[in-house]
């Protein structure tokens, strides 16, 4: 049979490995990987020839080596890869949340390259505490007596519950039993912390008396939770942290305020809706306040606990703390990020999260108009490209309903037939670029919100390298 002849004519692994292309593959990726890739290319070809039925020619050794090299190159693309976030969601949890400030990046890199005085007191030469490196800054910025930090805010909440309310009760309003992305459900966290959940009030209304009635000698703490990703509207009532503190203090029970995002500055300063600041939560009398490092704060993933010294000391003595601790790289980035808050006037220039949130719509629209012709050229005749207004979101559960007036690029298929598919394949093609471009699909168009586009020339380069022409995308 012709097919068998083609199969017999296939070069051997050794023959493929003797080609110049294979030598390049061995040099770049090492012998074991190159041999495996050649074997895989040969297997693939054999399978294809068998399926084909009638092939009279077999690929040459060099063609096979090229296939192996291409496979190795594709496989070497890092899985953790920078992308252009043009989704319009500034703090996108699935895209890694906050982009760090330059000073934070530098601090992290320095901590990676060098040994650092992480738990070493330079003045005494004795053992120090890693949390001590940022404690004063956290206290200064929040007005709290003491502070500590762990891996993320979920860990902070878990640790606080386990420290103050293990085998005891934690009182929470039914309206605040949140689930946030990534399977963080307050009742589950409570169970894992060994805490008995006591729900009070109803979904829409909780009154001071509900808490007062639930307090007993079994109570370990009263927890207030920021309803980060939803709002209950209409006939509602909630008890403020201040009122809660007054009720709980009579019984000597600590109040913990889980702020979620937690901001260190009044966002109204930057033209955004108000979110309670950490300092306000501390001033309202909460005994402990927990918040995230990589949400509105704009730093690396971290979870902070600030508040009463005696309680923070108990938290630091909990063996679980050791399992949840933060590493030197992020600690360096946390410190550098917090330092920026000492100069709020220049914060919006230096902290990418705030810079993105505060970007004026007119500036974004001007950028969209500049880029529109390049996108139109990249997509070819199949798409109509326009620059126009759209709405961004903060993301990560901060102000879920507030949108920010923004602008971006809209790519709409000219042909209504198969438009849905064309939009899907364009979105896919954009995601498959060397620097993946992540937009969103809305109203039959691919929308690229430019609020978070810092690297305009990088984006133009991506567009210039696209094949161009809607046909290529179909
Ligand atoms: C986001 C959030 C958390 C979890 O914080 P991570 O830093 O993502 O672990 C906990 N509580 C609330 C209210 C939140 O919004």
């Amino acid at each position: 049979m012709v097919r068998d002849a083609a199969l017999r004519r296939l070069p051997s692994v050794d023959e493929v490995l003797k080609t110049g292309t294979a030598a390049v593959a061995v040099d770049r990726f090492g012998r074991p990987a190159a041999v495996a890739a050649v074997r895989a290319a040969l297997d693939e070809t054999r399978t294809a020839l068998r399926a084909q039925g009638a092939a009279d020619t077999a690929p040459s050794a060099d063609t096979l080596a090229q296939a192996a090299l291409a496979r190795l190159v594709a496989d070497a693309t890092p899985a953790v890869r920078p992308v252009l976030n043009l989704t319009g969601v500034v703090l996108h949890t699935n895209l890694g949340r906050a982009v760090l400030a330059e000073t934070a990046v530098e601090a992290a890199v320095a901590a990676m390259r060098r040994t650092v005085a992480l738990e070493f007191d330079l003045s005494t030469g004795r053992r120090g505490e890693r949390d001590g490196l940022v404690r004063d800054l956290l206290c200064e910025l929040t007005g709290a007596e003491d502070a500590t930090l762990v891996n993320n805010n979920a860990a902070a909440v878990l640790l606080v519950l386990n420290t103050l309310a293990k085998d005891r009760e934690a009182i929470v309003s039914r309206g605040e039993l949140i689930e946030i992305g990534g399977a963080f459900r307050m009742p589950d966290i409570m169970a894992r912390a060994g805490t008995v959940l006591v729900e009070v009030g109803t979904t829409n209304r909780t009154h001071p008396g509900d808490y007062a009635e639930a307090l007993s000698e079994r109570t370990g703490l009263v927890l207030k939770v920021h309803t980060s990703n939803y709002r209950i509207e209409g006939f509602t009532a909630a008890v403020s942290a201040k009122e809660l503190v007054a009720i709980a203090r009579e019984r000597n029970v600590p109040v913990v305020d889980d702020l979620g995002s937690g901001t260190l500055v009044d966002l109204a300063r930057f033209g955004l809706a108000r979110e309670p600041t950490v300092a306000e939560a501390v001033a309202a009398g909460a005994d402990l306040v927990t918040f995230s490092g990589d949400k509105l704060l704009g730093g690396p993933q971290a979870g902070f606990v600030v508040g009463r010294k005696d309680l923070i000391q108990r938290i630091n003595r909990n063996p679980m703390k050791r399992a949840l601790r933060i590493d030197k790289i992020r600690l360096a980035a946390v410190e550098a990020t917090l330092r920026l808050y000492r100069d709020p006037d220049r914060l919006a220039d230096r902290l990418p999260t705030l810079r993105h949130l505060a970007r004026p719509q007119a500036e974004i629209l001007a950028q969209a108009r500049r880029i529109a012709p390049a996108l139109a050229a990249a997509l070819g005749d199949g798409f109509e490209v326009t620059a126009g207004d759209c709405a961004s979101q903060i993301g990560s559960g901060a102000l879920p309903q507030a949108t920010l007036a923004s602008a971006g690029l809209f790519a709409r298929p000219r042909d209504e037939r198969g438009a849905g598919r064309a939009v899907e394949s364009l979105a896919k093609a954009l995601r498959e670029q060397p620097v993946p471009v992540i937009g969103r699909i809305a109203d039959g168009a691919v929308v690229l919100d430019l609020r978070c586009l810092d690297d305009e020339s990088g984006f133009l380069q991506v567009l210039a390298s696209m094949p161009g022409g809607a046909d290529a995308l179909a």
Side-chain angles (χ1 to χ4, degrees):
M1 282 171 75
V2 191
R3 181 181 64 168
D4 294 339
L7 279 172
R8 268 198 305 277
R9 267 202 298 277
L10 266 185
S12 67
V13 173
D14 278 343
E15 280 168 324
V16 178
L17 283 171
K18 281 192 190 117
T19 62
T21 307
V24 172
V26 170
D27 186 47
R28 279 183 63 186
F29 300 100
R31 194 162 179 89
V35 172
V38 167
R39 288 221 163 91
L42 276 165
D43 282 348
E44 211 164 68
T45 309
R46 249 179 238 118
T47 311
L49 285 174
R50 285 198 186 104
Q52 219 171 331
D56 39 9
T57 53
S60 70
D62 194 61
T63 306
L64 285 159
Q66 273 170 21
L69 181 58
R71 181 184 286 265
L72 288 166
V73 169
D75 200 44
T77 309
V80 181
R81 194 143 62 115
V83 303
L84 287 174
N85 172 16
L86 305 188
T87 60
V89 180
V90 178
L91 293 164
H92 200 303
T93 297
N94 306 137
L95 300 180
R97 291 193 184 157
V99 173
L100 298 197
E102 266 321 302
T103 52
V105 172
E106 283 160 18
V109 169
M112 280 192 270
R113 284 224 172 90
R114 312 280 301 271
T115 47
V116 297
L118 184 62
E119 295 180 349
F120 185 83
D121 187 330
L122 289 168
S123 60
T124 62
R126 296 220 176 89
R127 188 172 202 272
E129 266 181 90
R130 70 177 67 204
D131 301 348
L133 301 176
V134 291
R135 179 185 298 127
D136 291 349
L137 257 173
L138 279 167
C139 292
E140 173 192 320
L141 295 168
T142 62
E145 216 172 62
D146 203 351
T148 190
L149 79 169
V150 284
N151 185 49
N152 57 16
N153 190 34
V157 173
L158 178 71
L159 186 60
V160 167
L161 289 170
N162 181 263
T163 306
L164 304 187
K166 184 167 182 293
D167 302 323
R168 295 171 70 73
E169 294 177 354
I171 302 176
V172 191
S173 160
R174 285 204 165 84
E176 296 175 0
L177 285 173
I178 59 164
E179 168 178 324
I180 55 175
F184 179 90
R185 293 178 132 196
M186 204 41 98
D188 297 344
I189 295 290
M190 293 239 173
R192 292 286 164 168
T195 301
V196 181
L197 167 63
V198 175
E199 302 176 34
V200 296
T202 59
T203 306
N204 57 328
R205 289 172 73 81
T206 302
H207 304 285
D210 297 329
Y211 286 100
E213 258 168 50
L215 280 163
S216 74
E217 65 284 357
R218 293 181 303 278
T219 312
L221 60 88
V222 176
L223 180 65
K224 181 149 186 69
V225 186
H226 189 287
T227 56
S228 301
N229 44 11
Y230 67 97
R231 287 283 175 275
I232 298 174
E233 286 187 0
F235 186 54
T236 66
V239 182
S240 72
K242 210 172 192 141
E243 287 174 280
L244 260 189
V245 167
I247 298 164
R249 197 153 281 169
E250 269 177 38
R251 311 288 291 261
N252 228 348
V253 169
V255 172
V256 177
D257 195 350
D258 177 22
L259 281 185
S261 200
T263 168
L264 295 176
V265 286
D266 183 356
L267 294 175
R269 236 188 122 104
F270 305 97
L272 300 163
R274 258 191 62 79
E275 268 278 279
T277 65
V278 178
E280 283 164 5
V282 170
D287 299 279
L288 291 175
V289 179
T290 56
F291 55 102
S292 277
D294 55 352
K295 293 184 180 172
L296 281 173
L297 200 141
Q301 181 185 301
F304 301 98
V305 189
V306 304
R308 257 168 60 187
K309 197 173 211 73
D310 59 326
L311 300 182
I312 297 283
Q313 278 173 355
R314 278 174 65 191
I315 287 169
N316 283 335
R317 282 198 301 268
N318 185 336
M320 210 185 244
K321 167 82 193 305
R322 170 65 179 78
L324 302 173
R325 77 180 181 192
I326 187 169
D327 67 283
K328 65 167 182 173
I329 304 164
R330 279 186 293 147
L331 192 61
V334 164
E335 183 191 0
T337 306
L338 291 176
R339 281 187 190 284
L340 296 178
Y341 280 89
R342 282 187 164 160
D343 184 1
D345 295 338
R346 270 177 284 196
L347 203 52
D349 298 329
R350 294 170 169 174
L351 198 66
T353 299
L354 266 189
R355 184 171 71 236
H356 293 153
L357 290 174
R359 259 187 102 190
Q361 185 185 32
E363 184 191 305
I364 309 172
L365 186 60
Q367 187 179 38
R369 293 204 171 111
R370 270 199 310 277
I371 298 175
L375 181 63
L379 304 190
D381 294 336
F383 286 89
E384 180 197 34
V385 172
T386 51
D389 297 348
C390 60
S392 320
Q393 281 176 290
I394 297 177
S396 279
L399 305 162
Q401 280 151 333
T403 54
L404 309 169
S406 189
L409 296 160
F410 296 74
R412 214 169 247 111
R414 285 189 201 277
D415 192 344
E416 272 178 28
R417 280 167 307 147
R421 231 192 54 218
V423 163
E424 294 286 347
S425 27
L426 173 56
K428 186 162 185 288
L430 288 166
R431 287 198 303 273
E432 284 169 355
Q433 294 307 305
V435 181
V437 178
I438 320 287
R440 64 173 192 263
I441 293 174
D443 302 329
V446 171
V447 184
L448 304 175
D449 185 325
L450 300 189
R451 173 172 295 280
C452 299
L453 181 63
D454 287 324
D455 185 11
E456 184 171 326
S457 67
F459 184 38
L460 288 171
Q461 251 172 31
V462 169
L463 293 178
S465 75
M466 283 180 70
D471 301 344
L473 299 168

